[in-house]
Amino acid sequence: MFHHFHGKNHEKSQGSISAKQFIKIIKFLKKKYNLINADVFLNKIINKKINNNDACLTFDDSLKCQIDIALPILNKEKIQAFFFLYTSAFTSKKNMFEIFRYFRMNNYKTVDFFYKDFFLMLKKNNRKKFEYFKKNYDKKYLKEYSFYTESDKKFRFCRDKILNKNIYESIMFNLMRKKNFNYKKIIKKLLMSKKDLMKLKKFNQVIGLHSHDHSTNIEKMSYYKQLTDYKKNIFFLKKNLNLNPNSMSHPFGRYNNETIKVLSEIGLKIGFLSNFKKGKISSNFEIPRYDHTHILKQINENNNFYK
């Protein structure tokens, strides 16, 4: 599972990797696993012929850096991967998730300075929510994601579990004003364009769903709201690429039984999780994934790999 890349005018940020690291990961996977193309992986899942050693590459979140850095490498290596897209990224009503992420990673000396600023603003503007967060923070939250620091987990718990969208976005916009940050200038740099979608199609990458709005808590939506969101997601891709997607990944790895019903109803065949917590394929819509950081750790632990 891949998200952010740095290089070629894309800044280094928390969790991002370089083209060189990506090539190392591909080399490692080819040696240690049966690295197969996305369409082959999909068919093996559907036909129940998948093996424990089979692996494929997946990309989430409609990120421009994936087009600029990862796609040329995939083409050179003749690898077909899954690209799971949230489609509000291609509309005027964009989800602000990536913009907020860019702001916190690039407008503070370190991300911990951002966290300090964020919680000070929350305490100042909504003390009740701040105190509620302090009282209810779950230290086990996101424990399966070992690459997150304790500060990362606290911020995400507050954002995803304590604050509603309006309060969270209000804090973020206040902080951006405080830093004189004009987010409209960096949108094209962060998110794919429709032209980029045509590149993915041209190079035969497998395009799938990642919801329309990329909500942090889609599992809290009603069945009908989830259905509406995923229908928007699939309609956009059908209309603009003349595709009929049959794969997806759950945004933030979150879903419920209603989600599974929705995905089946709109004709999808497989879905990916965002971690390897389950350790096995529980159903076609619960395929576990390793984050690229896990693979890099394996590479670093294998001291003789590049000797």
Side-chain angles (χ1 to χ4, degrees):
M1 176 175 66
F2 297 93
H3 289 84
H4 296 88
F5 292 80
H6 58 259
K8 294 186 178 179
N9 299 318
H10 296 283
E11 290 92 343
K12 188 175 183 179
S13 63
Q14 187 181 47
S16 68
I17 61 172
S18 66
K20 186 177 179 180
Q21 287 174 304
F22 185 46
I23 292 168
K24 281 184 179 181
I25 289 172
I26 290 173
K27 182 180 177 182
F28 180 80
L29 292 174
K30 283 183 174 180
K31 184 175 181 180
K32 295 292 184 180
Y33 300 91
N34 179 33
L35 184 61
I36 55 181
N37 280 341
D39 59 356
V40 176
F41 190 93
L42 187 149
N43 287 325
K44 290 186 86 169
I45 291 285
I46 293 172
N47 295 311
K48 297 183 179 180
K49 292 183 178 181
I50 201 77
N51 298 312
N52 288 336
N53 206 42
D54 290 333
C56 64
L57 305 185
T58 70
F59 298 80
D60 287 1
D61 291 355
S62 307
L63 297 168
K64 176 72 173 174
C65 60
Q66 296 170 1
I67 298 293
D68 294 343
I69 299 169
L71 185 59
I73 295 170
L74 294 176
N75 293 336
K76 184 178 179 181
E77 296 287 334
K78 295 182 171 58
I79 295 173
Q80 180 196 58
F82 289 101
F83 281 80
F84 299 119
L85 309 179
Y86 75 90
T87 42
S88 70
F90 305 95
T91 71
S92 59
K93 294 183 178 179
K94 292 174 172 56
N95 181 299
M96 294 293 291
F97 179 81
E98 287 299 333
I99 294 163
F100 290 156
R101 182 188 185 278
Y102 181 92
F103 169 72
R104 74 174 182 263
M105 300 306 304
N106 292 281
N107 287 269
Y108 288 85
K109 189 174 180 180
T110 70
V111 71
D112 285 324
F113 282 101
F114 162 78
Y115 293 147
K116 182 180 178 181
D117 227 6
F118 178 86
F119 283 110
L120 284 173
M121 184 71 74
L122 175 60
K123 185 177 181 180
K124 177 183 175 182
N125 292 352
N126 200 319
R127 193 176 186 91
K128 282 187 177 181
K129 287 289 186 183
F130 177 75
E131 295 298 336
Y132 187 77
F133 157 73
K134 285 177 59 180
K135 183 179 179 181
N136 291 278
Y137 173 61
D138 181 1
K139 292 183 179 180
K140 295 181 180 180
Y141 187 62
L142 300 177
K143 68 177 182 178
E144 64 271 26
Y145 298 94
S146 58
F147 48 85
Y148 285 143
T149 67
E150 190 64 21
S151 295
D152 293 334
K153 293 173 185 176
K154 285 181 178 179
F155 166 70
R156 284 163 174 78
F157 182 85
C158 185
R159 178 192 69 190
D160 300 346
K161 301 296 182 181
I162 303 297
L163 306 181
N164 61 38
K165 182 179 179 181
N166 290 337
I167 294 174
Y168 171 62
E169 291 195 350
S170 175
I171 293 171
M172 293 303 297
F173 281 121
N174 281 334
L175 292 175
M176 288 195 295
R177 281 192 289 269
K178 180 180 172 183
K179 289 279 188 176
N180 294 315
F181 175 72
N182 185 353
Y183 70 87
K184 293 180 180 179
K185 290 183 177 180
I186 54 92
I187 288 176
K188 289 183 179 180
K189 180 179 178 179
L190 288 181
L191 300 173
M192 292 182 193
S193 65
K194 290 182 180 179
K195 194 174 180 180
D196 293 324
L197 295 184
M198 297 308 296
K199 287 183 182 179
L200 291 177
K201 184 177 180 182
K202 176 184 176 183
F203 293 116
N204 199 35
Q205 300 301 311
V206 174
I207 297 172
L209 309 186
H210 198 49
S211 80
H212 177 72
D213 196 47
H214 201 245
S215 168
T216 53
N217 292 297
I218 197 167
E219 82 284 7
K220 291 183 178 179
M221 293 182 184
S222 69
Y223 169 82
Y224 294 104
K225 284 188 177 180
Q226 289 192 53
L227 180 62
T228 299
D229 187 89
Y230 276 110
K231 277 188 172 180
K232 284 182 181 179
N233 197 193
I234 200 167
F235 176 76
F236 179 92
L237 295 176
K238 284 181 177 180
K239 179 182 177 183
N240 289 277
L241 294 174
N242 194 28
L243 291 177
N244 191 26
N246 52 18
S247 60
M248 62 83 65
S249 68
H250 301 282
F252 303 95
R254 293 167 189 165
Y255 65 101
N256 56 19
N257 290 334
E258 303 284 85
T259 315
I260 305 299
K261 290 179 185 177
V262 164
L263 299 177
S264 297
E265 183 172 326
I266 62 176
L268 268 69
K269 302 298 182 183
I270 67 170
F272 289 84
L273 306 177
S274 63
N275 60 62
F276 215 81
K277 185 178 179 181
K278 294 199 172 190
K280 62 180 182 179
I281 299 174
S282 301
S283 75
N284 283 6
F285 292 115
E286 296 170 295
I287 303 169
R289 289 189 291 176
Y290 280 122
D291 188 84
H292 73 269
T293 55
H294 176 86
I295 307 301
L296 284 175
K297 186 178 179 182
Q298 285 190 47
I299 292 172
N300 292 333
E301 289 173 351
N302 191 335
N303 295 326
N304 296 319
F305 185 71
Y306 295 107
K307 292 181 180 179

